[in-house]
Amino acid sequence: MELYLYLALFAPLAGSLFAALFGASPRIKIAGIVPSFLLFVSFLSSTVLLSYILSGGEAVHVEMMTWMATGNLYIPFGFVVDQVSVTMMMVVTLVSTVVHIYSIGYMDHDKGFNRFFSYLSAFVFSMMVLVMSDNFAGLFIGWEGVGLCSWLLIGFWYHKESATWAANEAFIMNRIADLGMLIGIFLVYWNTGTLQYNQAFAAMPNLDKEILTWMGIFLFIGAMGKSAQFPLHTWLADAMEGPTPVSALIHAATMVTAGVYLVVRANPLFDLIPNVGLFIASLGAFVALFAASMALVNRDMKRIIAYSTLSQLGYMFVAAGLGAYWVALFHLMAHAFFKALLFLGAGNVMHAMHDELDPFKMGGLRKAMKWTFIMMTLASVALAGIYPFAGFFSKDLILEVAFVENHYIIYSVLLFTAGLTAFYSFRLVALIFHGEERYKLFGIHPHEAYKFMLIAMSPLLILAVIAGSMKMTYFEMIVNLLPNHEYHIHSHLTFWIMTIGTQLFVIAAIAFAYKKYANSNVKVPDGTSKIENCLYYKVLSNQYYIPYAYEEYLVKPYRELSSVLWRHVDMKVVDATVDGIANIIYTTGEKTRDMQSGNLSTMLKWMVAGTVGLLSLAVVFGLAVRYSGEIKLFLSGLGVQ
């Protein structure tokens, strides 16, 4: 099994290096085909490992080599394939393979085609290192690798100022959170003496609860940054400046799910600190509602889907915070399939609409884009949680967890959010595919995506439909590692009332969205309608003015402080000191360059002056030695010790 582990891990790296060979060359299809094939090899290897684990095989654990060994610190390049990591490996490699194949068509005419595939495969390799490492240090390497590659991919079109700004925002926001994670990792090592998962977790029950609490808090701060939890959430929507396949990869299966993976992987720690877990769950419920509310009025297709991702991450953190780690991981897996499908469908629409993102400028596209319409509609049904799609099983489980654990406020918030999710999802579908063909007003002639792109998307469509039926098989596998908790509402009547009630609520939200936005009366908002001037509309469309507050009260003061320090400290003190020393040396050199003039008379003068100087020093030194006793006596008389 070790061979398959290495293939799954290093095939994406090989693809990245191969594409990098053509980085400065004109676009060449092989730079996309080979990395895509190698990603498929990684997926097949992960599938073999999954089959092995499902059949009852032991975790596959390898140590390639020693990375650090000094004193009591020992960190190997070690990797493990167990029930948790193999789940993430399957999700990452499957979605990445689809995205790679899709990108061959999507990026077909882009000058940076070769460079794009090098970055994309490097991103996948970093994520594989993150999820397969057997220690916190290896996880952190992958963690930072994902951050670097996200910066490269979000800012891929670096000639656009908005893209570079978004890339920098994502990078800096994550660096803030990563400082917290580093402190958490230092606390783990300081108190357990190791960074290996199994050894560190085994030592934690013997530690003081206060220490464990701080460990959990700081590790979760790192998770907040990667998974864009409030207040470190603003980068997620802005990251839509990158190419759409990047959005599908980052927001469905890789970077943003890393925070959830960290909490699930560190479950022995969070089980010991339930108060921190309750905070995680409460924050997750808030973020779920917070993000869904912003999606209600947004007019950017990709941002609406991004806010949906943020909202669903909130659901995952609710499950993880309440100790239902396998439920969080199950929703992560199901969500990856239908969310990647939504993003790739949005990419098809963007290509057809000449990169237009405002759904109010679309309408009636189901005639020209039948297959994209079907895929995005079914993905939205799964996202809304309609039976029997994947989203129903995973999201319904999270609602059951909140109810069974008696967190009725969290349950109510998540239930209300489910209705909002259904509404904004089908608001988007209705505006894009139904109603009047508003795109004709803008002289656009839409067309369907390449057939191979649609075929590449089909596995995601199938899994978005059937993944929920794998719940019990997945449960039987995952509880061999994670806490074995099944969540059932004991009263059958209560269960059926909740389930049917939730379904009716969601269906009503869908019907309302269609009634409001799927007709021919929809017009492109121009800022004059009554609803656009409502207070709640302005608040939601401006993201609760949080980006404005960050800009006004954090960024601008910091910029001003930096400017003052630059002018008065850097220029007048630091630079002046350095320049002063340089000027003294330069002036001294100018004054003494006559010594090397080659003029015999001048050189004799300097020689005599040097001789006199040396003799004078010798006389002074000799007198000081000769009369040192008298000098000490004289100085003591003056009170000098």
Side-chain angles (χ1 to χ4, degrees), residues 201-232:
F201 294 145
M204 285 178 183
N206 301 319
L207 299 178
D208 184 76
K209 192 167 184 179
E210 185 177 351
I211 292 294
L212 294 172
T213 300
W214 284 113
M215 276 185 201
I217 289 172
F218 281 113
L219 287 176
F220 180 63
I221 289 173
M224 287 171 65
K226 273 289 183 284
S227 295
Q229 296 296 283
F230 178 87
L232 304 175

Side-chain angles (χ1 to χ4, degrees), residues 128 338 364:
M128 294 294 279
F338 54 73

Side-chain angles (χ1 to χ4, degrees), residues 44-60:
L44 291 178
S45 301
S46 300
T47 304
V48 172
L49 290 166
L50 175 65
S51 300
Y52 170 74
I53 296 293
L54 279 172
S55 64
E58 293 291 325
V60 182

Side-chain angles (χ1 to χ4, degrees), residues 270-476:
F270 287 101
D271 274 343
L272 297 171
I273 44 176
N275 289 340
V276 175
L278 181 58
F279 169 77
I280 293 172
S282 302
L283 180 63
F286 167 76
V287 170
L289 179 60
F290 173 72
S293 66
M294 290 188 287
L296 293 174
V297 302
N298 201 278
R299 289 179 54 184
D300 184 310
M301 175 174 57
K302 287 175 66 177
R303 282 176 176 263
I304 292 170
I305 304 174
Y307 285 131
S308 170
T309 298
L310 183 53
S311 182
Q312 297 307 304
L313 286 166
Y315 275 88
M316 296 174 206
F317 276 116
V318 168
L322 296 180
Y325 304 105
W326 77 269
V327 177
L329 207 56
F330 185 58
H331 188 52
L332 184 157
M333 178 178 65
H335 170 264
F337 303 140
F338 54 73
K339 187 52 59 67
L341 186 60
L342 273 174
F343 268 116
L344 298 182
N348 292 349
V349 174
M350 282 182 65
H351 261 204
M353 293 294 296
H354 302 172
D355 291 334
E356 178 58 61
L357 288 166
D358 188 349
F360 282 93
K361 296 180 180 179
M362 301 177 189
L365 282 175
R366 70 182 187 279
K367 298 174 184 176
M369 306 182 70
K370 181 178 70 174
W371 289 108
T372 299
F373 161 63
I374 292 171
M375 288 182 174
M376 288 192 71
T377 301
L378 293 178
S380 297
V381 171
L383 174 59
I386 300 294
Y387 180 84
F389 287 73
F392 167 80
F393 292 94
S394 59
K395 192 183 292 186
D396 202 57
L397 262 175
I398 296 173
L399 289 169
E400 287 183 36
V401 169
F403 191 87
V404 169
E405 296 291 334
N406 301 317
H407 295 290
Y408 300 118
I409 295 176
I410 292 177
Y411 170 79
S412 301
V413 170
L414 295 183
L415 179 61
F416 182 63
T417 302
L420 297 184
T421 302
F423 175 80
Y424 68 67
S425 298
F426 282 89
R427 168 182 177 263
L428 185 63
V429 171
L431 286 171
I432 294 173
F433 296 107
H434 297 279
E436 188 180 354
E437 297 170 340
R438 296 180 296 277
Y439 60 82
K440 291 181 178 179
L441 299 172
F442 305 96
I444 297 174
H445 303 285
H447 56 84
E448 185 59 277
Y450 296 134
K451 285 186 179 180
F452 80 87
M453 295 169 68
L454 297 171
I455 293 170
M457 294 165 64
S458 59
L460 298 177
L461 176 63
I462 295 168
L463 288 166
V465 175
I466 69 167
S469 62
M470 306 173 188
K471 184 178 77 170
M472 290 314 300
T473 303
Y474 182 72
F475 173 77
E476 291 169 3

Side-chain angles (χ1 to χ4, degrees), residues 581-603:
I581 294 171
N583 287 333
I584 290 170
I585 294 172
Y586 181 80
T587 303
T588 303
E590 282 290 312
K591 297 293 185 183
T592 57
R593 67 189 302 176
D594 289 345
M595 294 173 65
Q596 302 296 327
S597 65
N599 185 287
L600 182 60
S601 177
T602 302
M603 294 174 71

Side-chain angles (χ1 to χ4, degrees), residues 23-267:
S25 306
R27 183 185 64 83
I28 179 172
K29 278 285 179 70
I30 197 172
I33 294 172
V34 171
S36 301
F37 172 74
L38 289 170
L39 251 296
F40 185 65
V41 170
S42 181
F43 167 67
L44 291 178
S45 301
S46 300
T47 304
V48 172
L49 290 166
L50 175 65
S51 300
Y52 170 74
I53 296 293
L54 279 172
S55 64
E58 293 291 325
V60 182
H61 192 186
V62 300
E63 287 190 8
M64 286 178 54
M65 63 187 78
T66 299
W67 177 28
M68 292 185 188
T70 174
N72 294 325
L73 176 64
Y74 174 71
I75 304 175
F77 278 116
F79 302 96
V80 63
V81 176
D82 55 20
Q83 288 80 357
V84 171
S85 60
V86 80
T87 301
M88 293 297 296
M89 289 165 63
M90 285 297 299
V91 171
V92 170
T93 54
L94 173 60
V95 175
S96 299
T97 301
V98 170
V99 168
H100 271 68
I101 297 171
Y102 176 92
S103 298
I104 295 173
Y106 189 89
M107 302 296 289
D108 188 37
H109 302 295
D110 197 285
K111 293 180 180 178
F113 183 90
N114 307 344
R115 180 168 55 92
F116 177 82
F117 279 93
S118 179
Y119 294 168
L120 202 65
S121 291
F123 186 94
V124 178
F125 170 68
S126 297
M127 190 67 190
M128 294 294 279
V129 170
L130 190 158
V131 301
M132 294 175 68
S133 289
D134 68 351
N135 61 81
F136 283 101
L139 177 142
F140 192 71
I141 293 174
W143 196 272
E144 294 304 295
V146 167
L148 171 62
C149 293
S150 69
W151 178 75
L152 293 169
L153 288 166
I154 295 168
F156 181 76
W157 289 316
Y158 54 85
H159 54 276
K160 292 169 57 181
E161 186 178 349
S162 58
T164 56
W165 188 91
N168 290 336
E169 180 192 22
F171 192 79
I172 293 168
M173 194 77 78
N174 276 275
R175 296 294 73 68
I176 295 169
D178 290 353
L179 175 60
M181 185 177 175
L182 264 179
I183 295 172
I185 291 174
F186 287 146
L187 284 174
V188 170
Y189 176 72
W190 188 263
N191 290 280
T192 66
T194 181
L195 291 177
Q196 298 295 115
Y197 291 145
N198 53 354
Q199 297 172 20
F201 294 145
M204 285 178 183
N206 301 319
L207 299 178
D208 184 76
K209 192 167 184 179
E210 185 177 351
I211 292 294
L212 294 172
T213 300
W214 284 113
M215 276 185 201
I217 289 172
F218 281 113
L219 287 176
F220 180 63
I221 289 173
M224 287 171 65
K226 273 289 183 284
S227 295
Q229 296 296 283
F230 178 87
L232 304 175
H233 66 282
T234 55
W235 70 266
L236 190 89
D238 293 333
M240 296 299 99
E241 290 292 336
T244 303
V246 172
S247 304
L249 195 57
I250 289 178
H251 291 74
T254 53
M255 181 170 171
V256 297
T257 61
V260 179
Y261 169 78
L262 173 61
V263 175
V264 172
R265 174 58 78 184
N267 71 87

